[in-house]
Amino acid sequence: MAWEFAGGQPIYQQIIRSMEIQIVSGKYHPGEKIPAVRELAAQAGVNPNTMQRALTELEREGLLYSRRTSGRFVTENESTIREARRTLAEQFISEMFKNLENLGMKRGEIIEAIDHWKE
Amino acid sequence: MAWEFAGGQPIYQQIIRSMEIQIVSGKYHPGEKIPAVRELAAQAGVNPNTMQRALTELEREGLLYSRRTSGRFVTENESTIREARRTLAEQFISEMFKNLENLGMKRGEIIEAIDHWKE
Amino acid sequence: MAWEFAGGQPIYQQIIRSMEIQIVSGKYHPGEKIPAVRELAAQAGVNPNTMQRALTELEREGLLYSRRTSGRFVTENESTIREARRTLAEQFISEMFKNLENLGMKRGEIIEAIDHWKE
Amino acid sequence: MAWEFAGGQPIYQQIIRSMEIQIVSGKYHPGEKIPAVRELAAQAGVNPNTMQRALTELEREGLLYSRRTSGRFVTENESTIREARRTLAEQFISEMFKNLENLGMKRGEIIEAIDHWKE
DNA sequence: GTGGTCTAGACCACA
DNA sequence: GTGGTCTAGACCACA
C-alpha cells in the first residue's frame, strides 16, 4: 500500500515545475529579469541553496540565463519556451493516463471518458 | 506568486483518495474486510482519529460499511464502486485540463496534444 | 438557547416510565413477582435508593403492590393497567405535538403531516 | 431489560438536532451569522471539536455554510430549511408511533388516540 | 479572530 | 478486539 503524504516530489523539483509553468504561461515574459535567489527563496519559504539548485537546472534547460553582474533573466528564445510548454503538457497528459490506468481503466475506456468529458 | 509545496490537501482527504483508488482499482475487493482503524492508522503513520475521519467519509460515500464489533468492509455494491471510479476518473481528467489551461493552452491545442499523445 | 445534554429527566422518573412501559406492554404480567430492589438497582446500574423511590411511586399509581414478607408484584387489576396505558399514550402524543409546535408548525400542518405519515 | 438513561444519543447528534430545531423554527434566521465554533462550544459546555463536528454535519446538510475567515452563517436557501423541517417533523411523528407501538397499541388504536387528543 | 486540521489519549458499548 | 465518541490542546491559513 502506497501512502505518501506530504509531498512525494523533492522540493527543488516542485520549484522547477512551478517556474516552468510561470514562464511558459507568460507570467514571466521573455527577457524579463527575475528576482535575486535570496529573494525568490524567501518568497517560497525555502533554503537559498534549494532555490539555487532549481535555477541552475532551469538554466541548463535554457529557460533562464544569467549575466555575471546584472542578474538572471528569462530566455528570449521563444522556441525554447514553446518546447518547454510541449514537454510540460506531455507530462500532465502522461500523468493523467497513468492515474486512470491505476484506476483499472483500459485505454479504450480512458479515451471514451476524455471524449465524454470534452462535451 | 503561489508556492504551495506539500500538496496542500489535508491528510484525511489524501487518505480518502488513496483508499478510493485502492477500492476502485480492485486492490480491495467487494466484501473484503479491511484492517482495523488503529492498524490502518499505524500503517499510514497518522493518528487514529485522522484515519477514522477518512473512513467515516468513505462510509458516507457508500464504499465502506462497518459492523460495530466485527470490523469494516468494502461494499458489495458493485455499482457504487463503478460510480466512484467514474467520479475519480473525471477528477483526474478535469485536473489535467486545468493544468494545461494554466499553461496557456486553448481547448483545441489541448485536444490535439492528447490525440498526439495517444498514438 | 436550551442545551440540555445528558438527561434532562431525573433518573428515578426515567425508571418509572421504563417500568410503566414494561407493565403496560405486557413484558411484566399481572400478578407476576418482580425482582428485589437491590437486584433491579444493580441491573439498572443505579443506587438502590433511587430504585426504591421509583417503586414506591409505582405502588402509589397502583401498578405494583408489595406483600411484607414475600416481595413485590405487578397489579392484577387490568383496568388500572389499561388506565396507565392510556396515560402514557397521551404523554407520548402530547410530547409529539409539543415538539412539532416547537418546529413552528401550526395545528393544521401537524395534523396534515400525521395524516400524510399514516399512509 | 434495556435500561438506557442519558438518552443514548451522542452529544454531537444532540447538538445537530438542537441546531436544526433552532434554524427550522426561525430562532436563527436565514443568512444570520452564528457564533464562532469556540463560543458555541463554550455555551454548550462541550469541546470545540465536538461542536465542530456537529457544525460540519449541518453544513453538509446545507443548513449552514462557512466563510473561512468571516464566520458561519445560516443558509439563505429557504427551501432547504423547509425540507429540514419536514424531515424533523417526520422523525418526531415516527418516534411517537414507535413509542405507542411499544406500549402494545395497534395502528387503529393509535390513530383513535390521536384523534381523541386533538379535540 | 475565524474556520479547519491534527495529534494524543481516554473511555464506552458490544460480543 | 472493534468501531465510535469525546476532551485537551496545538498549529495553520487567511484577512
Side-chain angles (χ1 to χ4, degrees), chain B residues 55-81:
Chain B
L55 297 176
T56 300
E57 181 59 36
L58 289 161
E59 274 182 49
R60 189 163 357 231
E61 293 175 13
L63 288 175
L64 299 179
Y65 65 91
S66 57
R67 291 213 203 105
R68 268 200 151 256
T69 57
S70 61
R72 210 178 241 105
F73 303 81
V74 176
T75 183
E76 278 125 21
N77 185 333
E78 310 250 4
S79 86
T80 302
I81 294 177

PDB file of all heavy atoms in Angstrom, chain B residues 55-81:
ATOM      1  N   LEU B  55     -12.263   7.217   7.081  1.00  0.00           N
ATOM      2  CA  LEU B  55     -13.092   6.032   6.897  1.00  0.00           C
ATOM      3  C   LEU B  55     -14.576   6.375   7.025  1.00  0.00           C
ATOM      4  O   LEU B  55     -15.415   5.857   6.285  1.00  0.00           O
ATOM      5  CB  LEU B  55     -12.700   4.954   7.916  1.00  0.00           C
ATOM      6  CG  LEU B  55     -11.272   4.437   7.768  1.00  0.00           C
ATOM      7  CD1 LEU B  55     -10.932   3.446   8.867  1.00  0.00           C
ATOM      8  CD2 LEU B  55     -11.067   3.793   6.401  1.00  0.00           C
ATOM      9  N   THR B  56     -14.885   7.256   7.958  1.00  0.00           N
ATOM     10  CA  THR B  56     -16.273   7.691   8.113  1.00  0.00           C
ATOM     11  C   THR B  56     -16.788   8.308   6.822  1.00  0.00           C
ATOM     12  O   THR B  56     -17.911   8.052   6.395  1.00  0.00           O
ATOM     13  CB  THR B  56     -16.379   8.708   9.266  1.00  0.00           C
ATOM     14  OG1 THR B  56     -15.924   8.084  10.465  1.00  0.00           O
ATOM     15  CG2 THR B  56     -17.815   9.170   9.456  1.00  0.00           C
ATOM     16  N   GLU B  57     -15.932   9.118   6.219  1.00  0.00           N
ATOM     17  CA  GLU B  57     -16.324   9.745   4.957  1.00  0.00           C
ATOM     18  C   GLU B  57     -16.542   8.686   3.871  1.00  0.00           C
ATOM     19  O   GLU B  57     -17.496   8.757   3.093  1.00  0.00           O
ATOM     20  CB  GLU B  57     -15.242  10.738   4.528  1.00  0.00           C
ATOM     21  CG  GLU B  57     -15.546  11.467   3.236  1.00  0.00           C
ATOM     22  CD  GLU B  57     -16.842  12.267   3.308  1.00  0.00           C
ATOM     23  OE1 GLU B  57     -17.145  12.828   4.377  1.00  0.00           O
ATOM     24  OE2 GLU B  57     -17.567  12.308   2.316  1.00  0.00           O
ATOM     25  N   LEU B  58     -15.667   7.703   3.829  1.00  0.00           N
ATOM     26  CA  LEU B  58     -15.808   6.649   2.829  1.00  0.00           C
ATOM     27  C   LEU B  58     -17.073   5.829   3.063  1.00  0.00           C
ATOM     28  O   LEU B  58     -17.669   5.306   2.119  1.00  0.00           O
ATOM     29  CB  LEU B  58     -14.565   5.745   2.832  1.00  0.00           C
ATOM     30  CG  LEU B  58     -13.314   6.430   2.255  1.00  0.00           C
ATOM     31  CD1 LEU B  58     -12.040   5.709   2.696  1.00  0.00           C
ATOM     32  CD2 LEU B  58     -13.390   6.469   0.730  1.00  0.00           C
ATOM     33  N   GLU B  59     -17.473   5.719   4.318  1.00  0.00           N
ATOM     34  CA  GLU B  59     -18.753   5.067   4.604  1.00  0.00           C
ATOM     35  C   GLU B  59     -19.902   5.891   4.072  1.00  0.00           C
ATOM     36  O   GLU B  59     -20.850   5.370   3.502  1.00  0.00           O
ATOM     37  CB  GLU B  59     -18.937   4.874   6.108  1.00  0.00           C
ATOM     38  CG  GLU B  59     -18.294   3.602   6.584  1.00  0.00           C
ATOM     39  CD  GLU B  59     -18.506   3.371   8.057  1.00  0.00           C
ATOM     40  OE1 GLU B  59     -19.652   3.465   8.527  1.00  0.00           O
ATOM     41  OE2 GLU B  59     -17.513   3.104   8.743  1.00  0.00           O
ATOM     42  N   ARG B  60     -19.798   7.186   4.281  1.00  0.00           N
ATOM     43  CA  ARG B  60     -20.867   8.061   3.806  1.00  0.00           C
ATOM     44  C   ARG B  60     -20.995   7.944   2.286  1.00  0.00           C
ATOM     45  O   ARG B  60     -22.081   8.001   1.743  1.00  0.00           O
ATOM     46  CB  ARG B  60     -20.583   9.497   4.202  1.00  0.00           C
ATOM     47  CG  ARG B  60     -21.762  10.389   3.928  1.00  0.00           C
ATOM     48  CD  ARG B  60     -21.718  11.711   4.660  1.00  0.00           C
ATOM     49  NE  ARG B  60     -20.591  11.874   5.566  1.00  0.00           N
ATOM     50  CZ  ARG B  60     -20.688  12.258   6.820  1.00  0.00           C
ATOM     51  NH1 ARG B  60     -21.859  12.514   7.332  1.00  0.00           N
ATOM     52  NH2 ARG B  60     -19.613  12.395   7.550  1.00  0.00           N
ATOM     53  N   GLU B  61     -19.868   7.754   1.619  1.00  0.00           N
ATOM     54  CA  GLU B  61     -19.894   7.593   0.161  1.00  0.00           C
ATOM     55  C   GLU B  61     -20.419   6.224  -0.258  1.00  0.00           C
ATOM     56  O   GLU B  61     -20.636   5.979  -1.431  1.00  0.00           O
ATOM     57  CB  GLU B  61     -18.485   7.764  -0.408  1.00  0.00           C
ATOM     58  CG  GLU B  61     -17.936   9.168  -0.265  1.00  0.00           C
ATOM     59  CD  GLU B  61     -16.482   9.256  -0.727  1.00  0.00           C
ATOM     60  OE1 GLU B  61     -15.993   8.314  -1.370  1.00  0.00           O
ATOM     61  OE2 GLU B  61     -15.838  10.290  -0.430  1.00  0.00           O
ATOM     62  N   GLY B  62     -20.530   5.341   0.736  1.00  0.00           N
ATOM     63  CA  GLY B  62     -21.052   4.016   0.431  1.00  0.00           C
ATOM     64  C   GLY B  62     -19.992   3.020  -0.008  1.00  0.00           C
ATOM     65  O   GLY B  62     -20.319   1.901  -0.388  1.00  0.00           O
ATOM     66  N   LEU B  63     -18.717   3.413   0.039  1.00  0.00           N
ATOM     67  CA  LEU B  63     -17.667   2.494  -0.402  1.00  0.00           C
ATOM     68  C   LEU B  63     -17.278   1.504   0.698  1.00  0.00           C
ATOM     69  O   LEU B  63     -16.776   0.431   0.428  1.00  0.00           O
ATOM     70  CB  LEU B  63     -16.433   3.272  -0.867  1.00  0.00           C
ATOM     71  CG  LEU B  63     -16.609   3.988  -2.206  1.00  0.00           C
ATOM     72  CD1 LEU B  63     -15.388   4.822  -2.538  1.00  0.00           C
ATOM     73  CD2 LEU B  63     -16.868   2.969  -3.319  1.00  0.00           C
ATOM     74  N   LEU B  64     -17.508   1.893   1.938  1.00  0.00           N
ATOM     75  CA  LEU B  64     -17.240   1.004   3.071  1.00  0.00           C
ATOM     76  C   LEU B  64     -18.500   0.902   3.916  1.00  0.00           C
ATOM     77  O   LEU B  64     -19.377   1.746   3.837  1.00  0.00           O
ATOM     78  CB  LEU B  64     -16.110   1.569   3.947  1.00  0.00           C
ATOM     79  CG  LEU B  64     -14.738   1.768   3.319  1.00  0.00           C
ATOM     80  CD1 LEU B  64     -13.786   2.367   4.344  1.00  0.00           C
ATOM     81  CD2 LEU B  64     -14.199   0.435   2.813  1.00  0.00           C
ATOM     82  N   TYR B  65     -18.558  -0.128   4.722  1.00  0.00           N
ATOM     83  CA  TYR B  65     -19.564  -0.150   5.785  1.00  0.00           C
ATOM     84  C   TYR B  65     -18.934  -0.818   6.987  1.00  0.00           C
ATOM     85  O   TYR B  65     -17.983  -1.584   6.860  1.00  0.00           O
ATOM     86  CB  TYR B  65     -20.838  -0.878   5.337  1.00  0.00           C
ATOM     87  CG  TYR B  65     -20.667  -2.345   5.049  1.00  0.00           C
ATOM     88  CD1 TYR B  65     -20.872  -3.302   6.048  1.00  0.00           C
ATOM     89  CD2 TYR B  65     -20.277  -2.791   3.791  1.00  0.00           C
ATOM     90  CE1 TYR B  65     -20.708  -4.657   5.783  1.00  0.00           C
ATOM     91  CE2 TYR B  65     -20.117  -4.135   3.525  1.00  0.00           C
ATOM     92  CZ  TYR B  65     -20.327  -5.064   4.522  1.00  0.00           C
ATOM     93  OH  TYR B  65     -20.157  -6.392   4.262  1.00  0.00           O
ATOM     94  N   SER B  66     -19.456  -0.515   8.172  1.00  0.00           N
ATOM     95  CA  SER B  66     -18.837  -1.092   9.357  1.00  0.00           C
ATOM     96  C   SER B  66     -19.853  -1.875  10.167  1.00  0.00           C
ATOM     97  O   SER B  66     -21.023  -1.520  10.233  1.00  0.00           O
ATOM     98  CB  SER B  66     -18.210  -0.006  10.210  1.00  0.00           C
ATOM     99  OG  SER B  66     -19.151   0.953  10.568  1.00  0.00           O
ATOM    100  N   ARG B  67     -19.389  -2.957  10.735  1.00  0.00           N
ATOM    101  CA  ARG B  67     -20.194  -3.681  11.716  1.00  0.00           C
ATOM    102  C   ARG B  67     -19.522  -3.477  13.047  1.00  0.00           C
ATOM    103  O   ARG B  67     -18.354  -3.832  13.227  1.00  0.00           O
ATOM    104  CB  ARG B  67     -20.229  -5.176  11.377  1.00  0.00           C
ATOM    105  CG  ARG B  67     -21.004  -5.453  10.119  1.00  0.00           C
ATOM    106  CD  ARG B  67     -21.727  -6.796  10.197  1.00  0.00           C
ATOM    107  NE  ARG B  67     -21.982  -7.275   8.828  1.00  0.00           N
ATOM    108  CZ  ARG B  67     -21.279  -8.256   8.259  1.00  0.00           C
ATOM    109  NH1 ARG B  67     -20.327  -8.876   8.947  1.00  0.00           N
ATOM    110  NH2 ARG B  67     -21.540  -8.616   7.030  1.00  0.00           N
ATOM    111  N   ARG B  68     -20.304  -2.921  13.970  1.00  0.00           N
ATOM    112  CA  ARG B  68     -19.737  -2.387  15.200  1.00  0.00           C
ATOM    113  C   ARG B  68     -18.622  -3.218  15.811  1.00  0.00           C
ATOM    114  O   ARG B  68     -17.580  -2.693  16.156  1.00  0.00           O
ATOM    115  CB  ARG B  68     -20.835  -2.161  16.232  1.00  0.00           C
ATOM    116  CG  ARG B  68     -21.400  -0.776  16.173  1.00  0.00           C
ATOM    117  CD  ARG B  68     -22.098  -0.420  17.451  1.00  0.00           C
ATOM    118  NE  ARG B  68     -22.040   1.013  17.681  1.00  0.00           N
ATOM    119  CZ  ARG B  68     -21.232   1.575  18.545  1.00  0.00           C
ATOM    120  NH1 ARG B  68     -20.419   0.842  19.277  1.00  0.00           N
ATOM    121  NH2 ARG B  68     -21.227   2.878  18.694  1.00  0.00           N
ATOM    122  N   THR B  69     -18.831  -4.479  15.971  1.00  0.00           N
ATOM    123  CA  THR B  69     -17.795  -5.204  16.703  1.00  0.00           C
ATOM    124  C   THR B  69     -16.943  -6.095  15.817  1.00  0.00           C
ATOM    125  O   THR B  69     -15.921  -6.605  16.273  1.00  0.00           O
ATOM    126  CB  THR B  69     -18.420  -6.078  17.797  1.00  0.00           C
ATOM    127  OG1 THR B  69     -19.351  -6.950  17.167  1.00  0.00           O
ATOM    128  CG2 THR B  69     -19.138  -5.222  18.805  1.00  0.00           C
ATOM    129  N   SER B  70     -17.349  -6.269  14.587  1.00  0.00           N
ATOM    130  CA  SER B  70     -16.563  -7.218  13.798  1.00  0.00           C
ATOM    131  C   SER B  70     -15.638  -6.580  12.770  1.00  0.00           C
ATOM    132  O   SER B  70     -14.778  -7.248  12.216  1.00  0.00           O
ATOM    133  CB  SER B  70     -17.485  -8.229  13.121  1.00  0.00           C
ATOM    134  OG  SER B  70     -18.367  -7.593  12.252  1.00  0.00           O
ATOM    135  N   GLY B  71     -15.791  -5.290  12.536  1.00  0.00           N
ATOM    136  CA  GLY B  71     -14.837  -4.654  11.633  1.00  0.00           C
ATOM    137  C   GLY B  71     -15.466  -3.843  10.522  1.00  0.00           C
ATOM    138  O   GLY B  71     -16.662  -3.572  10.538  1.00  0.00           O
ATOM    139  N   ARG B  72     -14.626  -3.504   9.564  1.00  0.00           N
ATOM    140  CA  ARG B  72     -15.067  -2.635   8.476  1.00  0.00           C
ATOM    141  C   ARG B  72     -14.813  -3.332   7.146  1.00  0.00           C
ATOM    142  O   ARG B  72     -13.792  -3.980   6.977  1.00  0.00           O
ATOM    143  CB  ARG B  72     -14.268  -1.337   8.534  1.00  0.00           C
ATOM    144  CG  ARG B  72     -15.035  -0.161   8.018  1.00  0.00           C
ATOM    145  CD  ARG B  72     -14.245   1.095   8.135  1.00  0.00           C
ATOM    146  NE  ARG B  72     -14.877   2.097   8.978  1.00  0.00           N
ATOM    147  CZ  ARG B  72     -14.499   2.399  10.197  1.00  0.00           C
ATOM    148  NH1 ARG B  72     -13.487   1.797  10.754  1.00  0.00           N
ATOM    149  NH2 ARG B  72     -15.141   3.323  10.875  1.00  0.00           N
ATOM    150  N   PHE B  73     -15.746  -3.164   6.215  1.00  0.00           N
ATOM    151  CA  PHE B  73     -15.703  -3.936   4.983  1.00  0.00           C
ATOM    152  C   PHE B  73     -15.915  -3.065   3.757  1.00  0.00           C
ATOM    153  O   PHE B  73     -16.577  -2.025   3.835  1.00  0.00           O
ATOM    154  CB  PHE B  73     -16.804  -5.004   5.018  1.00  0.00           C
ATOM    155  CG  PHE B  73     -16.714  -5.920   6.204  1.00  0.00           C
ATOM    156  CD1 PHE B  73     -17.212  -5.531   7.448  1.00  0.00           C
ATOM    157  CD2 PHE B  73     -16.097  -7.159   6.095  1.00  0.00           C
ATOM    158  CE1 PHE B  73     -17.115  -6.366   8.554  1.00  0.00           C
ATOM    159  CE2 PHE B  73     -15.991  -8.001   7.203  1.00  0.00           C
ATOM    160  CZ  PHE B  73     -16.499  -7.601   8.431  1.00  0.00           C
ATOM    161  N   VAL B  74     -15.389  -3.534   2.637  1.00  0.00           N
ATOM    162  CA  VAL B  74     -15.641  -2.884   1.365  1.00  0.00           C
ATOM    163  C   VAL B  74     -17.061  -3.234   0.926  1.00  0.00           C
ATOM    164  O   VAL B  74     -17.511  -4.363   1.125  1.00  0.00           O
ATOM    165  CB  VAL B  74     -14.637  -3.374   0.300  1.00  0.00           C
ATOM    166  CG1 VAL B  74     -14.958  -2.784  -1.067  1.00  0.00           C
ATOM    167  CG2 VAL B  74     -13.219  -3.040   0.715  1.00  0.00           C
ATOM    168  N   THR B  75     -17.752  -2.266   0.381  1.00  0.00           N
ATOM    169  CA  THR B  75     -19.129  -2.506  -0.058  1.00  0.00           C
ATOM    170  C   THR B  75     -19.200  -3.660  -1.050  1.00  0.00           C
ATOM    171  O   THR B  75     -18.251  -3.915  -1.794  1.00  0.00           O
ATOM    172  CB  THR B  75     -19.722  -1.255  -0.726  1.00  0.00           C
ATOM    173  OG1 THR B  75     -21.087  -1.522  -1.060  1.00  0.00           O
ATOM    174  CG2 THR B  75     -18.966  -0.895  -1.995  1.00  0.00           C
ATOM    175  N   GLU B  76     -20.347  -4.345  -1.033  1.00  0.00           N
ATOM    176  CA  GLU B  76     -20.562  -5.387  -2.037  1.00  0.00           C
ATOM    177  C   GLU B  76     -21.319  -4.837  -3.241  1.00  0.00           C
ATOM    178  O   GLU B  76     -21.538  -5.535  -4.216  1.00  0.00           O
ATOM    179  CB  GLU B  76     -21.358  -6.540  -1.406  1.00  0.00           C
ATOM    180  CG  GLU B  76     -20.466  -7.491  -0.626  1.00  0.00           C
ATOM    181  CD  GLU B  76     -20.951  -7.653   0.808  1.00  0.00           C
ATOM    182  OE1 GLU B  76     -22.142  -7.378   1.059  1.00  0.00           O
ATOM    183  OE2 GLU B  76     -20.135  -8.036   1.660  1.00  0.00           O
ATOM    184  N   ASN B  77     -21.689  -3.561  -3.105  1.00  0.00           N
ATOM    185  CA  ASN B  77     -22.481  -2.946  -4.166  1.00  0.00           C
ATOM    186  C   ASN B  77     -21.574  -2.481  -5.315  1.00  0.00           C
ATOM    187  O   ASN B  77     -20.967  -1.421  -5.265  1.00  0.00           O
ATOM    188  CB  ASN B  77     -23.252  -1.762  -3.591  1.00  0.00           C
ATOM    189  CG  ASN B  77     -24.180  -1.144  -4.605  1.00  0.00           C
ATOM    190  OD1 ASN B  77     -23.945  -1.219  -5.806  1.00  0.00           O
ATOM    191  ND2 ASN B  77     -25.239  -0.520  -4.131  1.00  0.00           N
ATOM    192  N   GLU B  78     -21.503  -3.294  -6.335  1.00  0.00           N
ATOM    193  CA  GLU B  78     -20.564  -3.038  -7.425  1.00  0.00           C
ATOM    194  C   GLU B  78     -20.871  -1.740  -8.164  1.00  0.00           C
ATOM    195  O   GLU B  78     -19.970  -1.084  -8.690  1.00  0.00           O
ATOM    196  CB  GLU B  78     -20.561  -4.210  -8.424  1.00  0.00           C
ATOM    197  CG  GLU B  78     -20.390  -5.569  -7.768  1.00  0.00           C
ATOM    198  CD  GLU B  78     -19.032  -6.188  -8.069  1.00  0.00           C
ATOM    199  OE1 GLU B  78     -18.206  -5.527  -8.728  1.00  0.00           O
ATOM    200  OE2 GLU B  78     -18.813  -7.339  -7.648  1.00  0.00           O
ATOM    201  N   SER B  79     -22.139  -1.378  -8.191  1.00  0.00           N
ATOM    202  CA  SER B  79     -22.460  -0.176  -8.962  1.00  0.00           C
ATOM    203  C   SER B  79     -21.969   1.075  -8.225  1.00  0.00           C
ATOM    204  O   SER B  79     -21.598   2.074  -8.846  1.00  0.00           O
ATOM    205  CB  SER B  79     -23.959  -0.108  -9.261  1.00  0.00           C
ATOM    206  OG  SER B  79     -24.664   0.487  -8.212  1.00  0.00           O
ATOM    207  N   THR B  80     -21.951   1.015  -6.892  1.00  0.00           N
ATOM    208  CA  THR B  80     -21.374   2.125  -6.137  1.00  0.00           C
ATOM    209  C   THR B  80     -19.899   2.282  -6.480  1.00  0.00           C
ATOM    210  O   THR B  80     -19.382   3.394  -6.638  1.00  0.00           O
ATOM    211  CB  THR B  80     -21.510   1.879  -4.616  1.00  0.00           C
ATOM    212  OG1 THR B  80     -22.883   1.723  -4.292  1.00  0.00           O
ATOM    213  CG2 THR B  80     -20.940   3.045  -3.826  1.00  0.00           C
ATOM    214  N   ILE B  81     -19.243   1.154  -6.612  1.00  0.00           N
ATOM    215  CA  ILE B  81     -17.818   1.184  -6.943  1.00  0.00           C
ATOM    216  C   ILE B  81     -17.610   1.747  -8.355  1.00  0.00           C
ATOM    217  O   ILE B  81     -16.742   2.588  -8.574  1.00  0.00           O
ATOM    218  CB  ILE B  81     -17.208  -0.238  -6.820  1.00  0.00           C
ATOM    219  CG1 ILE B  81     -17.245  -0.681  -5.342  1.00  0.00           C
ATOM    220  CG2 ILE B  81     -15.794  -0.265  -7.363  1.00  0.00           C
ATOM    221  CD1 ILE B  81     -16.735  -2.083  -5.096  1.00  0.00           C
TER     222      ILE B  81
END
